[in-house]
Amino acid sequence: MPNNCSTAGNRTTAHTALAPDGPPPTRLVLLFAVACGSAVANVYFAQPLLVTLGERFSLGSGLLGAIVTVTQLGYAAGLLLLVPLGDLVDRRRLVTLQLGLLAAALLAVASAPGTAALFAALAAVGALAVVAQTMVAAAASLTAPAFRGRVVGAVTSGVITGILLARTVAGILADLAGWRAVYLCSAAVTATLAVLLHRTLPASRPPTADLPYRRLLISTVTLFARHPLLRIRGTLALLVFAAFSTLWSSVVQPLSSPPWSLTHTAIGAFGLAGAAGALAAGKAGRWNDRGLAQRTTGAALGLLAVSWLPLALTRQSLWALAIGAVLLDFAVQAVHVTNQSLVYTVRPDAGSRIIGGYMVFYSAGSALGAAGSSLAYAAAGWTGVSVLGTAFSCAALALWATTRNAHSRAASRLSRRRIDL
């Protein structure tokens, strides 16, 4: 009995430390959003450059998706092995170190002499870019529950905006100074952000600072095995980001070939259309704070499925692509923000492990979409890509429809448990 009381007391103390009275300062939220967007953008810089990289490193059209896939696999490894460290060590030190190593990995990409070196460096970039998820968990831990949805929404909006603007920035820099300049410039930005965050983030002692690293990793798996809400939201993330990656990993191919034959800059500019949707979807966090998570999820998934109607007309109309991109990215952002706000509430004292485990599903979906879209385009052109993206979107909508009652019961149990505590 004394041990149980001690454990409960420790959890209560950790929860109190992780749940202050209000949101963090606006300047810190803004810095989190910018740093998260910059870190994740590194995973997606290659997408508008796929044709150029394929020519430079002698990769066929069916293998172009491997450039994205190897980065996403590195990202998945980082989510499993690095993000949980946010529950074990001081997040300020962890964020600063990861950003410094990420800058070094970006320099390695910029100087890669051959395919093997390029793939190894891209895998390292993916693994270290998970610092964004460490920062999402840090932002949530510095925020009172009543404000958590909007803060997570603001920071996650930075993530999605960074993903989308990555294409625009990469396209412009590649046209001006070549593809290697993209990674050189990003290395400089990443190093600068490391210094700023080291000066701004408060030092902290995580609630599981005495837990061995091996047990920390095992507990991540255990959390998802025990809580159906985590599994449902993780699977939704997998399907949603498979649809997202299906579009953005393959759209460069029809846009760079006749009848469009667009430049890197023009291809990257379509990221601006998607960013408009992502910025608008920042309201999803506020909707979650008002108890509208299920309605937001259902409406967003329906919108995701509908977005493939205009996207299917990409070879006939660039306006159709722009409209479809806004709809798709709005939907993805709304689901993603809602997911992260919900999963964090399962165990706030294990926030980094939960966010990291959830994002493994995200990364797996992104890798699946990248690999699948390359094969679909090689086999059936843009029609095959559109069918694949529609299938992922409809599967996500069907999953939500068939599990929403179980999801609601799980959420109610968690709510009652927090009240009891």
Side-chain angles (χ1 to χ4, degrees):
M1 181 65 71
N3 289 339
N4 291 339
C5 292
S6 176
T7 300
N10 289 341
R11 286 187 179 180
T12 302
T13 301
H15 179 71
T16 301
L18 292 169
D21 294 333
T26 301
R27 65 181 181 278
L28 180 56
V29 175
L30 180 60
L31 182 57
F32 270 138
V34 172
C36 285
S38 175
V40 175
N42 293 303
V43 179
Y44 296 91
F45 279 142
Q47 289 185 353
L49 311 175
L50 287 178
V51 173
T52 298
L53 291 172
E55 293 173 352
R56 167 63 181 80
F57 294 98
S58 303
L59 299 173
S61 61
L63 292 175
L64 292 182
I67 294 173
V68 177
T69 300
V70 71
T71 311
Q72 289 294 343
L73 292 176
Y75 198 80
L79 291 168
L80 283 172
L81 302 175
L82 298 180
V83 174
L85 288 171
D87 291 334
L88 189 63
V89 300
D90 177 15
R91 285 191 177 117
R92 182 175 66 176
R93 294 175 59 189
L94 181 62
V95 167
T96 302
L97 177 61
Q98 281 189 252
L99 286 173
L101 293 174
L102 177 58
L106 290 165
L107 291 175
V109 174
S111 59
T115 304
L118 176 70
F119 279 17
L122 286 173
V125 167
L128 293 164
V130 300
V131 66
Q133 304 314 316
T134 302
M135 289 187 281
V136 170
S141 72
L142 294 170
T143 307
F147 301 93
R148 191 167 290 143
R150 67 190 67 180
V151 170
V152 171
V155 175
T156 306
S157 291
V159 173
I160 301 296
T161 301
I163 292 172
L164 298 169
L165 293 184
R167 300 171 180 85
T168 304
V169 171
I172 293 173
L173 286 176
D175 280 339
L176 290 176
W179 70 268
R180 295 184 191 273
V182 175
Y183 294 95
L184 289 172
C185 290
S186 185
V189 171
T190 301
T192 301
L193 288 168
V195 174
L196 292 175
L197 282 163
H198 181 72
R199 293 178 176 177
T200 306
L201 273 176
S204 63
R205 177 178 171 81
T208 55
D210 299 324
L211 187 67
Y213 177 64
R214 187 174 69 87
R215 288 182 57 194
L216 186 78
L217 297 183
I218 293 173
S219 70
T220 302
V221 178
T222 303
L223 284 167
F224 280 79
R226 288 179 177 174
H227 297 286
L229 187 149
L230 298 181
R231 297 194 299 274
I232 292 170
R233 287 288 160 171
T235 306
L236 283 176
L238 186 151
L239 293 169
V240 163
F241 280 97
F244 180 89
S245 186
T246 294
L247 172 64
W248 292 112
S249 295
S250 59
V251 73
V252 62
Q253 298 194 63
L255 293 182
S256 61
S257 60
W260 304 123
S261 301
L262 300 181
T263 64
H264 291 122
T265 300
I267 293 171
F270 280 96
L272 296 174
L279 289 171
K283 294 183 179 179
R286 296 180 182 273
W287 296 336
N288 179 73
D289 289 341
R290 295 205 296 261
L292 302 175
Q294 283 287 65
R295 294 182 185 179
T296 300
T297 302
L301 291 173
L303 191 64
L304 179 63
V306 169
S307 71
W308 285 96
L309 294 175
L311 289 173
L313 303 175
T314 293
R315 294 194 67 86
Q316 288 76 42
S317 170
L318 295 181
W319 281 108
L321 171 59
I323 293 170
V326 170
L327 297 178
L328 181 141
D329 291 321
F330 182 98
V332 168
Q333 170 76 335
V335 175
H336 189 43
V337 169
T338 303
N339 282 352
Q340 289 194 306
S341 298
L342 288 175
V343 300
Y344 188 87
T345 63
V346 173
R347 279 278 303 276
D349 60 310
S352 288
R353 282 167 283 169
I354 286 175
I355 293 296
Y358 163 79
M359 290 298 294
V360 169
F361 289 88
Y362 154 98
S363 187
S366 295
L368 177 63
S373 63
S374 291
L375 295 174
Y377 191 85
W382 188 250
T383 299
V385 171
S386 299
V387 170
L388 181 64
T390 302
F392 284 136
S393 303
C394 290
L397 182 59
L399 175 64
W400 171 80
T402 56
T403 61
R404 57 180 176 173
N405 290 333
H407 179 285
S408 297
R409 289 194 297 270
S412 296
R413 285 196 297 270
L414 286 170
S415 179
R416 288 195 299 271
R417 185 183 306 167
R418 288 194 296 275
I419 292 173
D420 291 340
L421 288 174

